[in-house]
């Protein structure tokens, strides 16, 4: 289960571009908490604490408790974080207010296991990851920190679909209308070249045999042995 993060915040008395710029100059980041049939709450956070939370790698799939704004702590999920296009500093964050056991939709990182049990990887195949995250629906109190996917038995050319993945208890895929691909094992360039050469050689051999059959010729290795001359009268 993913860890719960905690951020301290203060309510914003003023909103708008001018007020937001003033907050950023003071090392604060404007944000808003909305949802759960309540009025939106405008807040601001300490930039350093927010950046630290963003750098955990699970900011968007963890419950975030916002403290110090509007009285008691507010349970939220981060839904969006806008970054400055030049400096990558956070300039605004949106938080969704949730109840303790609400059903939430989150993106959870995929971790691949059992690489040593994959014949395709043993041959030198390459793991082509189609989805680094899975969009799932689960209880807000039991959001998985990651989903482990086994590569056991996968060979070159095989594809791994969501139907082959065992999700944690209480977790369901948010996409139910198709059996989407998570990863495939593809042949490396060298192996592809060898296969192509073998295919070309096989095709050339088939063409040669076909031409020989059409002309009524017998392949050299199947020709009848030459007759041996008998002894001469002199012998």
């Amino acid at each position: 289960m993913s860890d719960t993060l905690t951020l301290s915040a203060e309510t914003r008395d003023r909103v708008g571009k001018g007020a937001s710029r003033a907050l950023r100059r003071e090392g604060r980041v404007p944000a808003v908490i909305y949802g759960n049939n309540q009025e939106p709450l405008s807040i601001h956070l300490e930039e350093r604490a927010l950046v630290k939370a963003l750098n955990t790698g699970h900011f968007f799939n963890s419950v975030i408790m916002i403290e110090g704004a509007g009285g008691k702590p507010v349970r939220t999920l981060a839904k969006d974080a806008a970054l400055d296009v030049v400096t990558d500093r956070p300039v605004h964050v949106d938080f969704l207010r949730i109840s303790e056991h609400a059903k939430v939709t989150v993106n959870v990182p995929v971790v691949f296991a059992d690489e040593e049990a994959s014949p395709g990887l043993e041959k030198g195949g390459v793991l082509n990851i189609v989805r680094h995250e899975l969009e799932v629906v689960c209880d807000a109190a039991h959001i998985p920190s990651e989903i482990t996917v086994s590569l056991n038995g996968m060979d070159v050319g095989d594809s791994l679909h969501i139907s082959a993945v065992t999700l944690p208890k209480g977790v369901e895929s948010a996409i139910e209308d198709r059996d989407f691909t998570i990863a495939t094992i593809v042949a490396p360039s060298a192996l592809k070249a060898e296969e192509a050469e073998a295919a070309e050689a096989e095709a050339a051999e088939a063409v040669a045999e076909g031409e020989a059959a059409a002309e009524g010729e017998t392949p050299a290795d199947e020709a009848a042995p030459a007759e041996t001359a008998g002894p001469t009268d002199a012998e």
Side-chain angles (χ1 to χ4, degrees):
M1 188 177 68
S2 62
D3 297 330
T4 298
L5 303 177
T6 301
L7 291 173
S8 297
E10 297 178 17
T11 56
R12 282 190 286 161
D13 296 327
R14 297 186 303 126
V15 295
K17 293 183 178 180
S20 295
R21 283 195 294 266
L23 284 171
R24 295 184 191 109
R25 285 195 296 268
E26 297 172 3
R28 310 290 293 183
V29 180
V32 63
I33 302 173
Y34 64 93
N36 209 20
N37 298 317
Q38 298 182 40
E39 289 294 322
L41 177 63
S42 296
I43 61 172
H44 56 91
L45 312 158
E46 182 188 22
E47 182 180 352
R48 287 181 298 178
L50 176 60
V51 169
K52 183 178 179 180
L54 284 167
N55 290 337
T56 60
H58 51 88
F59 183 74
F60 288 99
N61 66 310
S62 296
V63 172
I64 301 175
M65 300 298 294
I66 306 294
E67 297 182 341
K72 63 180 182 180
V74 182
R75 179 178 286 100
T76 71
L77 282 178
K79 301 305 291 184
D80 185 54
L83 305 179
D84 185 278
V85 295
V86 177
T87 64
D88 274 346
R89 294 173 60 184
V91 295
H92 192 275
V93 185
D94 291 343
F95 294 99
L96 174 66
R97 187 186 289 109
I98 60 173
S99 56
E100 183 176 1
H101 291 288
K103 283 285 185 181
V104 296
T105 301
V106 293
N107 290 320
V108 179
V110 174
V111 174
F112 294 93
D114 302 324
E115 292 93 339
E116 69 284 353
S118 165
L121 295 180
E122 286 293 317
K123 295 174 184 176
V126 178
L127 179 63
N128 175 43
I129 302 175
V130 179
R131 290 176 180 264
H132 292 270
E133 295 180 326
L134 295 181
E135 186 178 20
V136 300
V137 178
C138 60
D139 189 308
H142 301 286
I143 301 174
S145 58
E146 61 187 31
I147 292 176
T148 302
V149 176
S150 175
L151 300 175
N152 184 23
M154 288 191 65
D155 208 338
V156 172
D158 288 348
S159 297
L160 179 68
H161 299 89
I162 184 62
S163 58
V165 177
T166 302
L167 296 174
K169 184 178 180 180
V171 178
E172 300 175 353
S173 174
I175 302 174
E176 299 180 335
D177 59 345
R178 63 187 185 279
D179 190 17
F180 58 86
T181 301
I182 299 172
T184 60
I185 294 185
V186 297
S189 300
L191 184 57
K192 287 181 180 178
E194 290 177 4
E195 291 176 348
E197 290 175 3
E200 289 176 2
E202 185 177 349
E205 183 179 349
V207 170
E209 291 178 355
E211 290 176 350
E215 295 175 2
E217 296 178 354
T218 303
D221 58 348
E222 295 180 4
E227 294 184 359
T228 302
T232 64
D233 293 340
E235 296 174 342

